[in-house]
PDB file of all heavy atoms in Angstrom:
ATOM      1  N   ALA A   1       0.789  -1.173   0.047  1.00 78.00           N
ATOM      2  CA  ALA A   1       0.063  -0.046  -0.044  1.00 78.00           C
ATOM      3  C   ALA A   1       0.827   1.255   0.002  1.00 78.00           C
ATOM      4  O   ALA A   1       0.523   2.259  -0.670  1.00 78.00           O
ATOM      5  CB  ALA A   1      -0.953  -0.004   1.284  1.00 78.00           C
ATOM      6  N   GLU A   2       2.007   1.163   0.649  1.00 74.00           N
ATOM      7  CA  GLU A   2       2.895   2.344   0.653  1.00 74.00           C
ATOM      8  C   GLU A   2       3.413   2.696  -0.745  1.00 74.00           C
ATOM      9  O   GLU A   2       3.715   3.788  -1.046  1.00 74.00           O
ATOM     10  CB  GLU A   2       4.058   2.080   1.667  1.00 74.00           C
ATOM     11  CG  GLU A   2       5.143   3.124   1.668  1.00 74.00           C
ATOM     12  CD  GLU A   2       4.604   4.493   2.143  1.00 74.00           C
ATOM     13  OE1 GLU A   2       3.572   4.471   2.764  1.00 74.00           O
ATOM     14  OE2 GLU A   2       5.321   5.497   1.851  1.00 74.00           O
ATOM     15  N   ARG A   3       3.498   1.587  -1.611  1.00 78.00           N
ATOM     16  CA  ARG A   3       3.917   1.874  -2.969  1.00 78.00           C
ATOM     17  C   ARG A   3       2.826   2.006  -3.930  1.00 78.00           C
ATOM     18  O   ARG A   3       2.884   1.828  -5.112  1.00 78.00           O
ATOM     19  CB  ARG A   3       4.791   0.591  -3.416  1.00 78.00           C
ATOM     20  CG  ARG A   3       6.021   0.437  -2.533  1.00 78.00           C
ATOM     21  CD  ARG A   3       6.982  -0.670  -2.941  1.00 78.00           C
ATOM     22  NE  ARG A   3       7.559  -0.426  -4.275  1.00 78.00           N
ATOM     23  CZ  ARG A   3       8.275  -1.344  -4.882  1.00 78.00           C
ATOM     24  NH1 ARG A   3       8.489  -2.505  -4.371  1.00 78.00           N
ATOM     25  NH2 ARG A   3       8.693  -0.997  -6.106  1.00 78.00           N
ATOM     26  N   ASP A   4       1.582   2.251  -3.350  1.00 81.00           N
ATOM     27  CA  ASP A   4       0.368   2.427  -4.076  1.00 81.00           C
ATOM     28  C   ASP A   4      -0.101   1.182  -4.920  1.00 81.00           C
ATOM     29  O   ASP A   4      -0.511   1.267  -5.997  1.00 81.00           O
ATOM     30  CB  ASP A   4       0.586   3.617  -5.078  1.00 81.00           C
ATOM     31  CG  ASP A   4      -0.768   4.234  -5.393  1.00 81.00           C
ATOM     32  OD1 ASP A   4      -1.692   3.918  -4.783  1.00 81.00           O
ATOM     33  OD2 ASP A   4      -0.863   5.133  -6.371  1.00 81.00           O
ATOM     34  N   VAL A   5       0.319  -0.061  -4.308  1.00 86.00           N
ATOM     35  CA  VAL A   5      -0.164  -1.288  -4.917  1.00 86.00           C
ATOM     36  C   VAL A   5      -1.039  -2.015  -3.895  1.00 86.00           C
ATOM     37  O   VAL A   5      -0.808  -2.064  -2.673  1.00 86.00           O
ATOM     38  CB  VAL A   5       1.075  -2.233  -5.257  1.00 86.00           C
ATOM     39  CG1 VAL A   5       0.552  -3.502  -5.790  1.00 86.00           C
ATOM     40  CG2 VAL A   5       1.978  -1.571  -6.223  1.00 86.00           C
ATOM     41  N   GLN A   6      -2.187  -2.538  -4.466  1.00 86.00           N
ATOM     42  CA  GLN A   6      -3.115  -3.232  -3.605  1.00 86.00           C
ATOM     43  C   GLN A   6      -2.932  -4.752  -3.619  1.00 86.00           C
ATOM     44  O   GLN A   6      -2.813  -5.386  -4.790  1.00 86.00           O
ATOM     45  CB  GLN A   6      -4.536  -2.911  -3.998  1.00 86.00           C
ATOM     46  CG  GLN A   6      -5.599  -3.541  -3.092  1.00 86.00           C
ATOM     47  CD  GLN A   6      -6.977  -3.229  -3.510  1.00 86.00           C
ATOM     48  OE1 GLN A   6      -7.274  -2.654  -4.628  1.00 86.00           O
ATOM     49  NE2 GLN A   6      -7.947  -3.462  -2.719  1.00 86.00           N
ATOM     50  N   VAL A   7      -2.713  -5.414  -2.507  1.00 87.00           N
ATOM     51  CA  VAL A   7      -2.568  -6.855  -2.371  1.00 87.00           C
ATOM     52  C   VAL A   7      -3.898  -7.427  -1.841  1.00 87.00           C
ATOM     53  O   VAL A   7      -4.377  -7.037  -0.766  1.00 87.00           O
ATOM     54  CB  VAL A   7      -1.392  -7.264  -1.467  1.00 87.00           C
ATOM     55  CG1 VAL A   7      -1.303  -8.770  -1.278  1.00 87.00           C
ATOM     56  CG2 VAL A   7      -0.150  -6.807  -1.932  1.00 87.00           C
ATOM     57  N   ARG A   8      -4.533  -8.301  -2.652  1.00 87.00           N
ATOM     58  CA  ARG A   8      -5.769  -8.922  -2.320  1.00 87.00           C
ATOM     59  C   ARG A   8      -5.666 -10.423  -2.141  1.00 87.00           C
ATOM     60  O   ARG A   8      -4.882 -11.047  -2.809  1.00 87.00           O
ATOM     61  CB  ARG A   8      -6.829  -8.641  -3.358  1.00 87.00           C
ATOM     62  CG  ARG A   8      -7.129  -7.169  -3.663  1.00 87.00           C
ATOM     63  CD  ARG A   8      -7.995  -7.113  -4.815  1.00 87.00           C
ATOM     64  NE  ARG A   8      -8.324  -5.646  -5.091  1.00 87.00           N
ATOM     65  CZ  ARG A   8      -9.016  -5.204  -6.215  1.00 87.00           C
ATOM     66  NH1 ARG A   8      -9.427  -6.145  -7.147  1.00 87.00           N
ATOM     67  NH2 ARG A   8      -9.374  -3.879  -6.496  1.00 87.00           N
ATOM     68  N   LEU A   9      -6.455 -10.865  -1.281  1.00 87.00           N
ATOM     69  CA  LEU A   9      -6.506 -12.318  -1.042  1.00 87.00           C
ATOM     70  C   LEU A   9      -7.802 -12.804  -1.733  1.00 87.00           C
ATOM     71  O   LEU A   9      -8.983 -12.336  -1.486  1.00 87.00           O
ATOM     72  CB  LEU A   9      -6.561 -12.694   0.483  1.00 87.00           C
ATOM     73  CG  LEU A   9      -6.728 -14.176   0.790  1.00 87.00           C
ATOM     74  CD1 LEU A   9      -5.434 -14.948   0.382  1.00 87.00           C
ATOM     75  CD2 LEU A   9      -6.916 -14.435   2.333  1.00 87.00           C
ATOM     76  N   ASP A  10      -7.636 -13.791  -2.655  1.00 87.00           N
ATOM     77  CA  ASP A  10      -8.762 -14.219  -3.409  1.00 87.00           C
ATOM     78  C   ASP A  10      -9.860 -14.700  -2.455  1.00 87.00           C
ATOM     79  O   ASP A  10      -9.588 -15.463  -1.508  1.00 87.00           O
ATOM     80  CB  ASP A  10      -8.310 -15.323  -4.283  1.00 87.00           C
ATOM     81  CG  ASP A  10      -9.264 -15.770  -5.312  1.00 87.00           C
ATOM     82  OD1 ASP A  10     -10.439 -16.236  -4.907  1.00 87.00           O
ATOM     83  OD2 ASP A  10      -9.006 -15.717  -6.502  1.00 87.00           O
ATOM     84  N   PRO A  11     -11.108 -14.307  -2.668  1.00 86.00           N
ATOM     85  CA  PRO A  11     -12.194 -14.719  -1.766  1.00 86.00           C
ATOM     86  C   PRO A  11     -12.381 -16.252  -1.646  1.00 86.00           C
ATOM     87  O   PRO A  11     -12.850 -16.756  -0.570  1.00 86.00           O
ATOM     88  CB  PRO A  11     -13.385 -14.081  -2.381  1.00 86.00           C
ATOM     89  CG  PRO A  11     -12.878 -12.955  -3.219  1.00 86.00           C
ATOM     90  CD  PRO A  11     -11.563 -13.412  -3.695  1.00 86.00           C
ATOM     91  N   ALA A  12     -11.900 -16.950  -2.649  1.00 86.00           N
ATOM     92  CA  ALA A  12     -12.100 -18.398  -2.545  1.00 86.00           C
ATOM     93  C   ALA A  12     -10.893 -19.134  -1.824  1.00 86.00           C
ATOM     94  O   ALA A  12     -10.899 -20.346  -1.780  1.00 86.00           O
ATOM     95  CB  ALA A  12     -12.147 -18.942  -4.046  1.00 86.00           C
ATOM     96  N   SER A  13      -9.970 -18.282  -1.377  1.00 86.00           N
ATOM     97  CA  SER A  13      -8.809 -18.894  -0.676  1.00 86.00           C
ATOM     98  C   SER A  13      -9.216 -19.477   0.591  1.00 86.00           C
ATOM     99  O   SER A  13      -9.960 -18.804   1.455  1.00 86.00           O
ATOM    100  CB  SER A  13      -7.708 -17.819  -0.450  1.00 86.00           C
ATOM    101  OG  SER A  13      -7.218 -17.402  -1.710  1.00 86.00           O
ATOM    102  N   ARG A  14      -8.740 -20.735   0.959  1.00 85.00           N
ATOM    103  CA  ARG A  14      -8.947 -21.411   2.255  1.00 85.00           C
ATOM    104  C   ARG A  14      -7.598 -22.155   2.557  1.00 85.00           C
ATOM    105  O   ARG A  14      -7.206 -23.009   1.695  1.00 85.00           O
ATOM    106  CB  ARG A  14     -10.137 -22.275   2.166  1.00 85.00           C
ATOM    107  CG  ARG A  14     -11.467 -21.670   2.009  1.00 85.00           C
ATOM    108  CD  ARG A  14     -11.814 -20.852   3.291  1.00 85.00           C
ATOM    109  NE  ARG A  14     -13.241 -20.376   3.156  1.00 85.00           N
ATOM    110  CZ  ARG A  14     -13.497 -19.156   2.614  1.00 85.00           C
ATOM    111  NH1 ARG A  14     -12.523 -18.459   2.108  1.00 85.00           N
ATOM    112  NH2 ARG A  14     -14.703 -18.692   2.618  1.00 85.00           N
ATOM    113  N   LEU A  15      -7.193 -21.981   3.784  1.00 81.00           N
ATOM    114  CA  LEU A  15      -5.985 -22.778   4.228  1.00 81.00           C
ATOM    115  C   LEU A  15      -6.147 -22.878   5.748  1.00 81.00           C
ATOM    116  O   LEU A  15      -5.406 -22.316   6.598  1.00 81.00           O
ATOM    117  CB  LEU A  15      -4.620 -22.146   3.829  1.00 81.00           C
ATOM    118  CG  LEU A  15      -3.407 -22.945   4.098  1.00 81.00           C
ATOM    119  CD1 LEU A  15      -3.440 -24.253   3.261  1.00 81.00           C
ATOM    120  CD2 LEU A  15      -2.177 -22.144   3.821  1.00 81.00           C
ATOM    121  N   ALA A  16      -7.165 -23.620   6.058  1.00 72.00           N
ATOM    122  CA  ALA A  16      -7.528 -23.821   7.519  1.00 72.00           C
ATOM    123  C   ALA A  16      -6.723 -24.810   8.174  1.00 72.00           C
ATOM    124  O   ALA A  16      -6.584 -24.807   9.417  1.00 72.00           O
ATOM    125  CB  ALA A  16      -8.984 -24.047   7.689  1.00 72.00           C
ATOM    126  N   THR A  17      -6.144 -25.786   7.413  1.00 65.00           N
ATOM    127  CA  THR A  17      -5.384 -26.895   8.085  1.00 65.00           C
ATOM    128  C   THR A  17      -4.073 -26.517   8.541  1.00 65.00           C
ATOM    129  O   THR A  17      -3.227 -25.849   7.787  1.00 65.00           O
ATOM    130  CB  THR A  17      -5.185 -28.021   7.033  1.00 65.00           C
ATOM    131  OG1 THR A  17      -6.484 -28.442   6.504  1.00 65.00           O
ATOM    132  CG2 THR A  17      -4.529 -29.304   7.726  1.00 65.00           C
ATOM    133  N   PRO A  18      -3.762 -26.653   9.831  1.00 64.00           N
ATOM    134  CA  PRO A  18      -2.343 -26.281  10.343  1.00 64.00           C
ATOM    135  C   PRO A  18      -1.267 -27.024   9.676  1.00 64.00           C
ATOM    136  O   PRO A  18      -1.456 -28.213   9.406  1.00 64.00           O
ATOM    137  CB  PRO A  18      -2.491 -26.550  11.896  1.00 64.00           C
ATOM    138  CG  PRO A  18      -3.871 -26.697  12.191  1.00 64.00           C
ATOM    139  CD  PRO A  18      -4.585 -27.236  10.962  1.00 64.00           C
ATOM    140  N   VAL A  19      -0.123 -26.404   9.428  1.00 66.00           N
ATOM    141  CA  VAL A  19       0.969 -27.085   8.743  1.00 66.00           C
ATOM    142  C   VAL A  19       2.044 -27.175   9.750  1.00 66.00           C
ATOM    143  O   VAL A  19       2.270 -26.347  10.630  1.00 66.00           O
ATOM    144  CB  VAL A  19       1.381 -26.397   7.442  1.00 66.00           C
ATOM    145  CG1 VAL A  19       0.303 -26.440   6.416  1.00 66.00           C
ATOM    146  CG2 VAL A  19       1.673 -24.932   7.764  1.00 66.00           C
ATOM    147  N   ALA A  20       2.895 -28.180   9.522  1.00 63.00           N
ATOM    148  CA  ALA A  20       4.033 -28.432  10.484  1.00 63.00           C
ATOM    149  C   ALA A  20       5.151 -27.417  10.291  1.00 63.00           C
ATOM    150  O   ALA A  20       5.881 -27.072  11.164  1.00 63.00           O
ATOM    151  CB  ALA A  20       4.641 -29.842  10.337  1.00 63.00           C
ATOM    152  N   ASP A  21       5.370 -27.041   9.049  1.00 67.00           N
ATOM    153  CA  ASP A  21       6.443 -26.125   8.700  1.00 67.00           C
ATOM    154  C   ASP A  21       6.057 -25.030   7.745  1.00 67.00           C
ATOM    155  O   ASP A  21       5.660 -25.342   6.515  1.00 67.00           O
ATOM    156  CB  ASP A  21       7.640 -26.932   8.101  1.00 67.00           C
ATOM    157  CG  ASP A  21       8.802 -26.108   7.883  1.00 67.00           C
ATOM    158  OD1 ASP A  21       8.924 -24.943   8.283  1.00 67.00           O
ATOM    159  OD2 ASP A  21       9.835 -26.518   7.284  1.00 67.00           O
ATOM    160  N   GLU A  22       5.862 -23.790   8.276  1.00 74.00           N
ATOM    161  CA  GLU A  22       5.407 -22.721   7.394  1.00 74.00           C
ATOM    162  C   GLU A  22       6.623 -22.011   6.640  1.00 74.00           C
ATOM    163  O   GLU A  22       6.395 -21.170   5.777  1.00 74.00           O
ATOM    164  CB  GLU A  22       4.697 -21.658   8.231  1.00 74.00           C
ATOM    165  CG  GLU A  22       3.381 -22.036   8.876  1.00 74.00           C
ATOM    166  CD  GLU A  22       3.587 -22.496  10.259  1.00 74.00           C
ATOM    167  OE1 GLU A  22       4.803 -22.701  10.689  1.00 74.00           O
ATOM    168  OE2 GLU A  22       2.636 -22.620  11.039  1.00 74.00           O
ATOM    169  N   VAL A  23       7.792 -22.400   6.897  1.00 74.00           N
ATOM    170  CA  VAL A  23       8.875 -21.725   6.306  1.00 74.00           C
ATOM    171  C   VAL A  23       8.922 -21.793   4.794  1.00 74.00           C
ATOM    172  O   VAL A  23       9.085 -20.785   4.093  1.00 74.00           O
ATOM    173  CB  VAL A  23      10.340 -22.293   6.800  1.00 74.00           C
ATOM    174  CG1 VAL A  23      11.464 -21.653   6.096  1.00 74.00           C
ATOM    175  CG2 VAL A  23      10.388 -21.923   8.299  1.00 74.00           C
ATOM    176  N   PRO A  24       8.687 -23.044   4.218  1.00 79.00           N
ATOM    177  CA  PRO A  24       8.639 -23.010   2.744  1.00 79.00           C
ATOM    178  C   PRO A  24       7.537 -22.185   2.159  1.00 79.00           C
ATOM    179  O   PRO A  24       7.726 -21.413   1.147  1.00 79.00           O
ATOM    180  CB  PRO A  24       8.463 -24.526   2.400  1.00 79.00           C
ATOM    181  CG  PRO A  24       8.931 -25.185   3.599  1.00 79.00           C
ATOM    182  CD  PRO A  24       8.614 -24.334   4.785  1.00 79.00           C
ATOM    183  N   ILE A  25       6.314 -22.141   2.830  1.00 82.00           N
ATOM    184  CA  ILE A  25       5.214 -21.389   2.334  1.00 82.00           C
ATOM    185  C   ILE A  25       5.595 -19.909   2.386  1.00 82.00           C
ATOM    186  O   ILE A  25       5.308 -19.146   1.393  1.00 82.00           O
ATOM    187  CB  ILE A  25       4.006 -21.740   3.070  1.00 82.00           C
ATOM    188  CG1 ILE A  25       3.577 -23.154   3.011  1.00 82.00           C
ATOM    189  CG2 ILE A  25       2.793 -20.918   2.622  1.00 82.00           C
ATOM    190  CD1 ILE A  25       2.480 -23.558   3.854  1.00 82.00           C
ATOM    191  N   VAL A  26       6.078 -19.411   3.545  1.00 81.00           N
ATOM    192  CA  VAL A  26       6.466 -18.084   3.739  1.00 81.00           C
ATOM    193  C   VAL A  26       7.492 -17.586   2.742  1.00 81.00           C
ATOM    194  O   VAL A  26       7.392 -16.547   2.201  1.00 81.00           O
ATOM    195  CB  VAL A  26       6.895 -17.875   5.238  1.00 81.00           C
ATOM    196  CG1 VAL A  26       7.424 -16.439   5.402  1.00 81.00           C
ATOM    197  CG2 VAL A  26       5.747 -18.027   6.114  1.00 81.00           C
ATOM    198  N   THR A  27       8.537 -18.394   2.551  1.00 81.00           N
ATOM    199  CA  THR A  27       9.660 -18.041   1.643  1.00 81.00           C
ATOM    200  C   THR A  27       9.098 -17.882   0.240  1.00 81.00           C
ATOM    201  O   THR A  27       9.385 -16.972  -0.457  1.00 81.00           O
ATOM    202  CB  THR A  27      10.787 -19.123   1.673  1.00 81.00           C
ATOM    203  OG1 THR A  27      11.180 -19.214   3.021  1.00 81.00           O
ATOM    204  CG2 THR A  27      11.912 -18.743   0.849  1.00 81.00           C
ATOM    205  N   VAL A  28       8.303 -18.931  -0.262  1.00 84.00           N
ATOM    206  CA  VAL A  28       7.916 -18.975  -1.620  1.00 84.00           C
ATOM    207  C   VAL A  28       6.919 -17.797  -1.779  1.00 84.00           C
ATOM    208  O   VAL A  28       7.008 -16.994  -2.715  1.00 84.00           O
ATOM    209  CB  VAL A  28       7.273 -20.405  -1.935  1.00 84.00           C
ATOM    210  CG1 VAL A  28       6.512 -20.244  -3.280  1.00 84.00           C
ATOM    211  CG2 VAL A  28       8.260 -21.470  -1.940  1.00 84.00           C
ATOM    212  N   LEU A  29       5.813 -17.675  -0.861  1.00 86.00           N
ATOM    213  CA  LEU A  29       4.883 -16.655  -1.041  1.00 86.00           C
ATOM    214  C   LEU A  29       5.502 -15.249  -0.846  1.00 86.00           C
ATOM    215  O   LEU A  29       5.092 -14.376  -1.656  1.00 86.00           O
ATOM    216  CB  LEU A  29       3.764 -16.938  -0.027  1.00 86.00           C
ATOM    217  CG  LEU A  29       2.346 -16.228  -0.221  1.00 86.00           C
ATOM    218  CD1 LEU A  29       1.866 -16.741  -1.629  1.00 86.00           C
ATOM    219  CD2 LEU A  29       1.485 -16.571   0.848  1.00 86.00           C
TER     220      LEU A  29
END
C-alpha cells in the first residue's frame, strides 16, 4: 500500500489446516 499497490486475497482462498513447517510457504509466497 505504501507503494500504491493493492494486495488482495482471493475470496475463494482457504487454508484452515495447520501445517508443520510454514517456512517453505512463507519463503515462496
Side-chain angles (χ1 to χ4, degrees):
E2 175 63 18
R3 300 182 66 182
D4 206 9
V5 177
Q6 183 178 11
V7 176
R8 298 175 181 172
L9 181 63
D10 190 300
S13 295
R14 291 291 184 275
L15 189 61
T17 304
V19 294
D21 185 7
E22 293 97 345
V23 173
I25 301 175
V26 170
T27 303
V28 172
L29 198 57

